[in-house]
Amino acid sequence: IQLYFKQTSLEKNKQYVDILKKCDCNRMGKSRAFKPDVAGLLDSIYIGDQVGRSIVSNPGLPWRFIDNTSSLHLIDSIYKKYGWLSKSEVGPNASMAQFLVIQHANLESQLKREDRVKNAVQNCLIQPDVYAFLLDRISVKRGEKQLYGTQLTPDSLTYLPVKDEKNLNQIRLDFGLLPIEKYLKASNCNKEMY
């Protein structure tokens, strides 16, 4: 595909370049062998993470105080042995569990593992948009404004303060995120995903 468009204006088009990058990432990720034992463990971690948040998602219970220390230790052990595991190696939920445990950890744990998520994105092992979620969550926990608008108010009706309100949709688009209006609408349907 690249050769066909090499001498056209598409070569300079950011959306075209992003599509090619995703194609390359898909090819890279599919060449890794499936690991059923680790997949089962990570699936269990995923379910525990998401169910725990669903149970305490009523307004009277603070889901942000769920202790996921044991899940972090398991994720760290798996990472030490295998590195970041892609969807083709463990399945989509199990692969996402690695991120969610970090995303739902305390600030110190997030900072310690931030480079791990960044490297996974750079190596096409996880979608780039999840890194935006982590960066925003870290900013919010530090009391700073977020960049991508991924962190929402508890009712999911609007996003917490952002650094550049005027250019928010362009910043989101550049990182592969939905426009903020579509994100807010989708988030109302699935409040506990991130």
Side-chain angles (χ1 to χ4, degrees), residues 9 26-27 70 95 111 134 138 172-173 185 189:
S9 62
N26 285 338
R27 276 194 296 276
S70 59
S95 181
L111 292 171
L134 181 59
I138 288 170
R172 291 176 61 82
L173 178 67
K185 188 174 182 179
C189 298

Side-chain angles (χ1 to χ4, degrees), residues 25-40:
C25 281
N26 285 338
R27 276 194 296 276
M28 288 170 56
K30 289 180 181 171
S31 65
R32 301 174 84 168
F34 189 73
K35 297 170 178 50
D37 294 342
V38 182

Side-chain angles (χ1 to χ4, degrees), residues 90-114:
V90 292
N93 288 347
S95 181
M96 183 57 93
Q98 299 164 105
F99 166 73
L100 290 173
V101 168
I102 295 169
Q103 176 75 347
H104 296 147
N106 62 43
L107 179 60
E108 180 184 342
S109 297
Q110 289 173 327
L111 292 171
K112 181 179 175 184
R113 294 163 180 86
E114 179 188 347

Side-chain angles (χ1 to χ4, degrees), residues 96-150:
M96 183 57 93
Q98 299 164 105
F99 166 73
L100 290 173
V101 168
I102 295 169
Q103 176 75 347
H104 296 147
N106 62 43
L107 179 60
E108 180 184 342
S109 297
Q110 289 173 327
L111 292 171
K112 181 179 175 184
R113 294 163 180 86
E114 179 188 347
D115 281 344
R116 187 185 301 179
V117 177
K118 182 180 181 179
N119 290 334
V121 169
Q122 290 172 338
N123 290 306
C124 300
L125 300 174
I126 193 167
Q127 293 173 246
D129 61 340
V130 299
Y131 189 51
F133 280 85
L134 181 59
L135 292 175
D136 276 357
R137 178 128 337 155
I138 288 170
S139 293
V140 168
K141 284 184 176 181
R142 287 178 163 166
E144 301 167 355
K145 292 182 176 182
Q146 58 181 326
L147 182 60
Y148 302 100
T150 64

Side-chain angles (χ1 to χ4, degrees), residues 22 127-133 136 147-150 168-180 182-183 194:
K22 285 179 184 174
Q127 293 173 246
D129 61 340
V130 299
Y131 189 51
F133 280 85
D136 276 357
L147 182 60
Y148 302 100
T150 64
L168 181 58
N169 276 332
Q170 187 59 51
I171 292 168
R172 291 176 61 82
L173 178 67
D174 290 346
F175 214 82
L177 296 165
L178 290 172
I180 194 67
K182 288 184 180 182
Y183 173 61
Y194 295 103

Side-chain angles (χ1 to χ4, degrees), residues 57-61 63-64 150-161 183-192:
S57 65
N58 83 45
L61 297 170
W63 64 265
R64 286 180 170 80
T150 64
Q151 303 303 295
L152 306 177
T153 58
D155 60 9
S156 296
L157 295 177
T158 191
Y159 47 91
L160 295 170
Y183 173 61
L184 290 172
K185 188 174 182 179
S187 295
N188 243 340
C189 298
N190 188 9
K191 293 182 181 180
E192 299 307 319

Side-chain angles (χ1 to χ4, degrees), residues 2-99:
Q2 275 181 297
L3 291 176
Y4 181 77
F5 292 106
K6 198 76 170 149
Q7 303 303 316
T8 70
S9 62
L10 276 178
E11 186 183 23
K12 294 178 179 117
N13 180 304
K14 183 179 176 353
Q15 288 178 320
Y16 165 75
V17 171
D18 288 346
I19 290 169
L20 285 181
K21 203 180 292 181
K22 285 179 184 174
C23 290
D24 287 341
C25 281
N26 285 338
R27 276 194 296 276
M28 288 170 56
K30 289 180 181 171
S31 65
R32 301 174 84 168
F34 189 73
K35 297 170 178 50
D37 294 342
V38 182
L41 177 59
L42 286 169
D43 273 334
S44 297
I45 292 171
Y46 175 86
I47 291 167
D49 178 85
Q50 294 300 287
V51 169
R53 277 159 180 66
S54 297
I55 291 170
V56 295
S57 65
N58 83 45
L61 297 170
W63 64 265
R64 286 180 170 80
F65 298 109
I66 294 174
D67 182 10
N68 71 349
T69 306
S70 59
S71 294
L72 275 168
H73 290 307
L74 286 169
I75 294 288
D76 288 344
S77 297
I78 291 167
Y79 184 78
K80 191 181 240 182
K81 183 170 183 176
Y82 299 102
W84 194 279
L85 295 165
S86 67
K87 286 192 284 189
S88 66
E89 292 174 287
V90 292
N93 288 347
S95 181
M96 183 57 93
Q98 299 164 105
F99 166 73

